[in-house]
């Protein structure tokens, strides 16, 4: 291997190691940050890979991608991006091979086409939040009372865009204990001159009758249309269903996972916070006698979700299966066994 190639390979290994370390420490700046960093690594991997056929490239990208995913097996976004890029490789290969390029030209042409297509996918991700926020006037109405939980950057952008269009509405923000991300959400909305009230989880049932709709974000959309969302979202959605209030999910399409999960107990579904998030160190004697579980995510079954607002527009949950087929190739996706 030429010295230059060796330096590039070492640089790539260091970048992957740094990203994996960041995932393990939980210092990433949200799902979009994880998605963009994963794509940047995959672009480097593709650009530095020498291959004869698309199968060689797919095997190499999948192998390197598994190293990235190992940093946090529960982070669906990484897997989503890897699978989407593998699908892009297959699609670009099919188009180029059908164009009757000679065998000698195909490898070089394929790499350039793939990098261009993946870069376009990256640009799409970077514009997702703005595209979803632009839908606000269609779904946030004058005098609406809207309930949300915790903090979602996408939901926040949707509300702010609605306010910028002169729509007067009220937002009730559930604080999302024990992590209290709702406090930050309420503060940001209030600073944007939006009528905002912070509530506790125990007040959700009380306020639900006067709510017009529930608008939430999500970490992932599973292949069956269920959600991997912040803890507390499931009970909120159940209460909304009981009172016939629509639950609208704001989510970029890179969050759509090809995996099926019907329970939050699956190892690759959930992650857990430290007990200190729930109990103080003053309760050390109590901690020695109990097992403290602090799951970060809830599973919300698809029948509780009314609609998904995405960068591709609004879709009913029943359409998710079709989107999964469009975005992913079945040969690339390994389905874990549900528990």
């Amino acid at each position: 291997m030429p010295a230059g190639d060796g330096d590039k390979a070492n640089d790539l290994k260091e970048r992957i190691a740094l990203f994996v370390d960041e995932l393990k420490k939980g210092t990433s700046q949200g799902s979009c940050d994880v998605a963009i960093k994963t794509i940047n690594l995959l672009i480097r991997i593709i650009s530095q890979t020498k291959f004869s056929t698309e199968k060689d490239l797919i095997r190499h990208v999948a192998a390197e991608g598994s190293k990235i995913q190992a940093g946090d097996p529960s982070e669906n976004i990484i897997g989503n991006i890897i699978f989407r890029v593998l699908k892009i490789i297959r699609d670009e290969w099919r188009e180029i091979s059908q164009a009757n390029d000679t065998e000698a030209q195909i490898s070089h042409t394929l790499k350039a086409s793939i990098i261009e297509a993946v870069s376009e996918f990256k640009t799409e991700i970077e514009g997702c939040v703005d595209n979803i926020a632009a839908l606000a006037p269609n779904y946030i109405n004058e005098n609406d009372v809207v309930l949300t939980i915790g903090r979602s950057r996408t939901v926040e952008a949707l509300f702010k865009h609605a306010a910028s269009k002169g729509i007067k509405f009220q937002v009730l923000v559930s604080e999302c204990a024990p992590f209290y991300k709702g406090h930050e959400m309420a503060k940001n909305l209030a600073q944007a001159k939006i009528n905002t009230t912070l509530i506790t989880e125990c007040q959700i049932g009380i306020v639900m009758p006067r709510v017009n709709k529930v608008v939430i974000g999500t970490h992932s959309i599973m292949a069956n249309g269920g959600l991997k969302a912040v803890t507390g979202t499931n009970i909120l959605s159940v209460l909304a269903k009981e009172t016939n209030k629509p639950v609208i999910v704001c989510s970029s399409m890179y969050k759509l996972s090809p995996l099926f999960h019907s329970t939050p107990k699956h190892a690759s579904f959930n992650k857990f916070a430290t007990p200190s998030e729930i109990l103080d160190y003053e309760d050390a004697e109590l901690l020695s006698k109990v097992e403290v579980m602090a799951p970060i995510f809830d599973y919300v079954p698809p029948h509780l979700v009314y609609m998904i607002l995405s960068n591709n527009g609004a879709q009913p949950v029943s359409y998710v299966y079709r989107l999964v087929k469009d975005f992913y190739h079945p040969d690339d996706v390994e389905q874990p066994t549900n528990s």
Side-chain angles (χ1 to χ4, degrees):
M1 179 184 293
D5 290 345
D7 291 341
K8 289 180 180 179
N10 290 332
D11 177 65
L12 179 59
K13 287 181 180 178
E14 289 178 4
R15 287 176 181 270
I16 292 176
L18 286 172
F19 183 44
V20 168
D21 186 57
E22 184 178 299
L23 290 169
K24 290 179 177 178
K25 292 179 178 178
T27 56
S28 61
Q29 301 300 311
S31 297
C32 186
D33 182 54
V34 170
I36 294 299
K37 288 180 178 178
T38 302
I39 276 199
N40 287 339
L41 287 174
L42 292 176
I43 289 175
R44 281 181 171 269
I45 290 168
I46 293 167
S47 66
Q48 294 178 23
T49 301
K50 296 180 180 179
F51 58 92
S52 300
T53 69
E54 91 286 2
K55 293 181 181 178
D56 293 336
L57 180 59
I58 287 171
R59 280 194 293 267
H60 183 72
V61 171
E64 292 298 311
S66 66
K67 296 176 184 177
I68 301 172
Q69 182 72 79
D72 186 351
S74 68
E75 181 51 86
N76 300 89
I77 301 301
I78 297 172
N80 296 350
I81 299 299
I82 294 169
F83 294 142
R84 286 286 295 270
V85 169
L86 292 176
K87 178 69 160 49
I88 288 171
I89 294 173
R90 294 177 184 276
D91 290 345
E92 294 301 314
W93 165 259
R94 185 178 64 253
E95 290 185 14
I96 291 173
S97 60
Q98 289 175 351
N100 297 319
D101 278 3
T102 66
E103 191 67 28
Q105 292 175 327
I106 284 181
S107 176
H108 175 75
T109 306
L110 178 62
K111 179 180 287 191
S113 297
I114 290 170
I115 291 175
E116 180 180 358
V118 175
S119 297
E120 290 175 358
F121 178 37
K122 175 183 173 181
T123 301
E124 176 189 324
I125 291 175
E126 291 171 335
C128 280
V129 173
D130 290 340
N131 290 336
I132 295 171
L135 299 172
N138 298 326
Y139 298 96
I140 305 296
N141 303 315
E142 192 75 18
N143 299 320
D144 267 353
V145 178
V146 185
L147 176 61
T148 190
I149 184 170
R151 184 188 179 219
S152 161
R153 291 179 176 85
T154 308
V155 173
E156 182 179 320
L158 185 87
F159 290 158
K160 287 181 176 179
H161 188 78
S164 73
K165 296 299 180 180
I167 301 172
K168 302 298 182 182
F169 60 102
Q170 181 182 5
V171 180
L172 306 178
V173 183
S174 180
E175 65 180 0
C176 199
F179 311 109
Y180 300 107
K181 293 295 184 181
H183 288 233
E184 183 179 0
M185 179 73 156
K187 177 182 176 181
N188 292 347
L189 295 179
Q191 289 176 340
K193 309 301 182 184
I194 297 173
N195 184 357
T196 306
T197 303
L198 183 68
I199 65 172
T200 62
E201 273 66 56
C202 63
Q203 293 176 290
I204 291 175
I206 299 172
V207 303
M208 191 65 76
R210 57 183 288 256
V211 166
N212 297 107
K213 63 196 65 168
V214 175
V215 179
I216 60 174
T218 187
H219 178 275
S220 302
I221 303 173
M222 311 315 293
N224 65 342
L227 307 179
K228 176 180 178 178
V230 65
T231 297
T233 306
N234 182 59
I235 187 61
L236 179 147
S237 302
V238 169
L239 291 170
K241 185 75 171 181
E242 289 295 316
T243 52
N244 294 316
K245 303 302 168 66
V247 175
I248 299 173
V249 180
C250 296
S251 175
S252 304
M253 277 294 98
Y254 69 83
K255 294 185 177 184
L256 175 60
S257 173
L259 303 180
F260 289 85
H261 286 298
S262 59
T263 168
K265 295 180 180 179
H266 196 281
S268 66
F269 182 94
N270 224 326
K271 62 174 68 174
F272 296 86
T274 63
S276 63
E277 297 278 3
I278 297 177
L279 296 176
D280 296 328
Y281 287 108
E282 288 81 358
D283 300 315
E285 184 177 349
L286 175 62
L287 284 172
S288 65
K289 300 176 182 178
V290 299
E291 181 181 5
V292 180
M293 304 291 285
I296 293 176
F297 299 115
D298 263 352
Y299 173 72
V300 181
H303 73 272
L304 298 179
V305 179
Y306 172 69
M307 181 181 293
I308 298 171
L309 299 186
S310 77
N311 50 298
N312 288 4
Q315 290 98 12
V317 178
S318 59
Y319 193 65
V320 165
Y321 81 97
R322 179 63 195 175
L323 294 174
V324 170
K325 288 185 177 180
D326 290 343
F327 292 160
Y328 303 106
H329 194 283
D331 290 349
D332 299 325
V333 181
E334 294 181 8
Q335 291 291 347
T337 303
N338 286 337
S339 57

